[in-house]
Amino acid sequence: MPKLNSHYGKLQASYLFAEIAKRVEEYSTQNPEKSIIRLGIGDVTEPLPAACVEALKEAADELSKRETFKGYPSYEGYAFLRNPIAQQDFQDLGAEVYADEIFVSDGAKSDTANIQEIFAEDNRIAVPDPVYPVYVDSNVMAGRTGLAESGRYEGLVYLECTPENNYLPELPQEKVDLIYLCFPNNPTGAHISREKLTEWVNYALAENAIIFYDAAYVAFIRDESMPKSIYEIPGARKCAIEFRSFSKNAGFTGTRCAYTVIPKELQVGGKSLHQMWFRRQATKFNGVSYPVQKAAAAVYSEAGQAQVKTLTDFYLGNARIVRESLNGFGLKCTGGDNSPYIWVQVNGASWDFFDKLLHNAGVVCTPGAGFGKCGEGHIRISAFNSRANVLKAMERLQKVF
Ligand code: MLT
């Protein structure tokens, strides 16, 4: 009889957003007349930028002709996409990243989940708490933890992010090998200053640790003093891997495209992580489709840049409305200024609050406890929705409060 991966038995029954979807589905089946506004999962609602749509159509036409047809893409992505990424997302900021250090992929979720595969099982892992559940669950599946107790897995080092430290993780007090950081943060919306990020890079260099830096929400940064890439910090090329996504800037949650940067000089014990990841991708991944990479490349055109700015400004406008409304109801919030997420302190258990908003207002949020122990007493509200729905949701919440 085949044996199963027993580590799956340590996981909570369902993935956070699957659990929310299940509860919302149950509620809506029992109350078919009730309209529901989803401010839970960070899924975009506005159409793709026009420049991306045009590029998708042109690429589809190319595939219809023998002379311009394309088969398998390269494992790392087409140069027409990797070149502008290197130039505009990094070099223009003074960050040293080269096109051949970029791996185009189908999502930052898959990359942040899979990256642990190239590291040994007995690495000590640090994660912020609250945390995007993918970082934790992928390590649980890989057998790097013991059992969960009171919402925490034995063997992981949790970096507490609370109102007292403005939701910014502090340097670990014990030796760790791999550190997950996400800025602007999911779920808290907090962002890190250049000085604080420099402390992390210096720590990782001194302790021979690697930072996994998830910058999926970078397009929402409006405060120019804040770092957009960890490679803006000297020394980061020797200790950090960065993850980016087209999901939240250009609305590709359904279209799927992202990328990961692994600098050539990033090594562990003389072994190149870049080469190891290439080996992994070449074995397990066959690249992102040509039309989707063409659409992603259009983000870097002049028109694409302007359209992405309009799109992210739009969601930030929603975030401002949410934040101001909640403040008006007397709730304390962070995020929503350089982030599409608003992290709200609530009285009591976050799943109770989730139920209260769903049942009394037909508004879906994400309960903070789903992101970890320190998420308890909080909910996350996503600004990804139409303006009309956000306004309607705030009107309904006003009645609840
Ligand atoms: C979220 O809501 O946290 C994100 O949409 C999840 C994701 O990007 O996978």
Side-chain angles (χ1 to χ4, degrees), residues 139-187:
N139 279 292
V140 175
M141 290 170 176
R144 278 194 200 87
T145 71
L147 295 174
E149 215 176 291
S150 323
R152 286 197 167 168
Y153 287 96
E154 189 205 334
L156 291 185
V157 174
Y158 288 91
L159 309 171
E160 301 202 339
C161 302
T162 60
E164 287 69 43
N165 59 17
N166 293 320
Y167 302 104
L168 289 175
E170 279 147 39
L171 300 177
Q173 294 303 307
E174 56 192 290
K175 174 79 187 130
V176 297
D177 306 297
L178 303 172
I179 303 157
Y180 290 81
L181 293 179
C182 171
F183 290 111
N185 187 259
N186 180 12

Side-chain angles (χ1 to χ4, degrees), residues 317-331 333 335-336 342 394:
N318 284 348
R320 196 171 316 115
I321 292 169
V322 171
R323 199 179 153 133
E324 283 170 5
S325 307
L326 296 179
N327 284 154
F329 308 149
L331 294 168
C333 313
I342 300 98
M394 293 306 111

Side-chain angles (χ1 to χ4, degrees), residues 43-343:
D43 194 4
V44 296
T45 53
E46 304 309 295
L48 292 180
C52 300
V53 175
E54 217 170 287
L56 268 175
K57 288 182 181 162
E58 274 170 21
D61 274 349
E62 285 181 60
L63 295 183
S64 74
K65 299 179 201 113
R66 180 173 296 275
E67 310 75 60
T68 46
F69 173 76
K70 308 274 183 298
Y72 288 126
S74 75
Y75 301 115
E76 318 95 301
Y78 286 102
F80 65 71
L81 175 56
R82 295 160 89 207
N83 286 335
I85 288 175
Q87 184 67 50
Q88 296 184 42
D89 285 350
F90 299 98
Q91 293 166 11
D92 288 353
L93 308 174
E96 193 187 342
V97 167
Y98 303 101
D100 61 359
E101 297 176 323
I102 291 161
F103 293 87
V104 174
S105 75
D106 67 339
K109 179 179 185 174
S110 0
D111 285 355
T112 53
N114 292 330
I115 195 71
Q116 46 76 31
E117 260 186 58
I118 62 170
F119 294 89
E121 203 174 289
D122 56 357
N123 278 294
R124 195 109 171 110
I125 315 278
V127 291
D129 178 3
V131 65
Y132 179 42
V134 170
Y135 313 154
V136 171
D137 289 1
S138 53
N139 279 292
V140 175
M141 290 170 176
R144 278 194 200 87
T145 71
L147 295 174
E149 215 176 291
S150 323
R152 286 197 167 168
Y153 287 96
E154 189 205 334
L156 291 185
V157 174
Y158 288 91
L159 309 171
E160 301 202 339
C161 302
T162 60
E164 287 69 43
N165 59 17
N166 293 320
Y167 302 104
L168 289 175
E170 279 147 39
L171 300 177
Q173 294 303 307
E174 56 192 290
K175 174 79 187 130
V176 297
D177 306 297
L178 303 172
I179 303 157
Y180 290 81
L181 293 179
C182 171
F183 290 111
N185 187 259
N186 180 12
T188 68
H191 197 38
I192 195 164
S193 67
R194 201 170 292 275
E195 293 69 34
K196 281 265 171 229
L197 192 54
T198 304
E199 281 176 22
W200 276 101
V201 168
N202 290 342
Y203 170 87
L205 290 170
E207 297 292 326
N208 282 322
I210 303 279
I211 297 174
F212 299 144
Y213 193 74
D214 183 350
Y217 297 92
V218 66
F220 295 91
I221 296 178
R222 291 294 179 271
D223 179 340
E224 289 301 324
S225 71
M226 289 176 167
K228 292 197 166 133
S229 163
I230 196 164
Y231 302 117
E232 289 178 58
I233 311 297
R237 285 179 60 79
K238 287 200 162 70
C239 66
I241 294 176
E242 183 164 315
F243 305 90
R244 294 278 189 108
S245 170
F246 292 96
S247 284
K248 312 292 157 96
N249 63 344
F252 276 42
T253 54
T255 309
R256 310 303 308 153
C257 196
Y259 67 87
T260 288
V261 181
I262 310 191
K264 292 270 176 76
E265 61 245 54
L266 187 56
Q267 300 200 344
V268 174
K271 289 253 184 301
S272 156
L273 297 189
H274 184 277
Q275 276 173 18
M276 282 183 74
W277 186 243
F278 178 78
R279 185 69 180 80
R280 189 266 174 208
Q281 291 295 80
T283 301
K284 297 196 175 183
F285 183 64
N286 251 343
V288 173
S289 75
Y290 176 72
V292 169
Q293 290 198 52
K294 273 284 179 186
V299 164
Y300 297 93
S301 64
E302 212 179 312
Q305 287 287 287
Q307 290 159 11
V308 162
K309 169 84 171 42
T310 306
L311 203 50
T312 48
D313 277 348
F314 170 77
Y315 289 125
L316 283 169
N318 284 348
R320 196 171 316 115
I321 292 169
V322 171
R323 199 179 153 133
E324 283 170 5
S325 307
L326 296 179
N327 284 154
F329 308 149
L331 294 168
K332 281 199 187 141
C333 313
T334 54
D337 37 12
N338 293 286
S339 153
Y341 295 131
I342 300 98
W343 187 238

